[in-house]
Amino acid sequence: MRYDEFLAQVRERGEYQNRAEAEEVTRAVLSVLASRITPVKAQELAAQLPGPLGPIVAEAGEDPAETYGVEQFCAHVAERTNARPRTAEWDASAVLSTLAEAVSGGELNQLLSQLPSGYAALFGKVELSR
């Protein structure tokens, strides 16, 4: 998947007004995700992401993985995007469901194996309401 396709899908799923908003949310969600996984997994994930998304994940994932659940994940996204937690959950799902389609099945399985089971729902289709 190309970078512009990735952002177009995020924009559509998140119902964002423009590409810039989709890009801002994408950067925030991927940075938080990278801080939650091991540096090795962040590098592997980064290698499969298009355009500037790979370096964002690689850089954010350089430190040891933090451990927190979905609620804290969404709180971190909310801090970066100045959104409410429910909106941050919507944002995370818009980006992560697109990510699930952009990487190989093996990569996605390895990624999900590093996260508690509650995260899997964020990688599914966006069915939340703002």
Side-chain angles (χ1 to χ4, degrees):
M1 179 181 295
R2 293 186 337 257
Y3 180 65
D4 59 331
E5 291 172 323
F6 193 102
L7 289 182
Q9 280 195 15
V10 169
R11 182 177 176 188
E12 182 179 320
R13 288 177 178 170
E15 301 175 3
Y16 303 114
Q17 293 182 13
N18 54 49
R19 177 185 163 124
E21 186 179 5
E23 190 169 32
E24 176 188 349
V25 167
T26 298
R27 289 174 181 273
V29 171
L30 292 180
S31 293
V32 174
L33 177 65
S35 73
R36 181 61 183 79
I37 58 179
T38 66
V40 170
K41 181 47 53 203
Q43 293 298 322
E44 291 172 355
L45 178 61
Q48 290 197 21
L49 294 175
L53 300 180
I56 290 167
V57 170
E59 199 172 293
E62 290 177 346
D63 296 325
E66 298 179 36
T67 56
Y68 46 80
V70 173
E71 190 174 306
Q72 186 78 24
F73 180 90
C74 291
H76 285 302
V77 171
E79 287 173 14
R80 291 176 188 241
T81 59
N82 295 316
R84 293 184 309 233
R86 184 74 174 145
T87 301
E89 183 179 352
W90 173 272
D91 293 339
S93 191
V95 174
L96 296 178
S97 63
T98 303
L99 173 75
E101 294 177 9
V103 300
S104 71
E107 183 63 33
L108 180 61
N109 287 337
Q110 289 177 14
L111 176 62
L112 288 172
S113 74
Q114 288 200 359
L115 302 169
S117 61
Y119 279 82
L122 294 176
F123 288 83
K125 287 196 169 263
V126 176
E127 295 177 1
L128 305 171
S129 61
R130 283 188 168 199

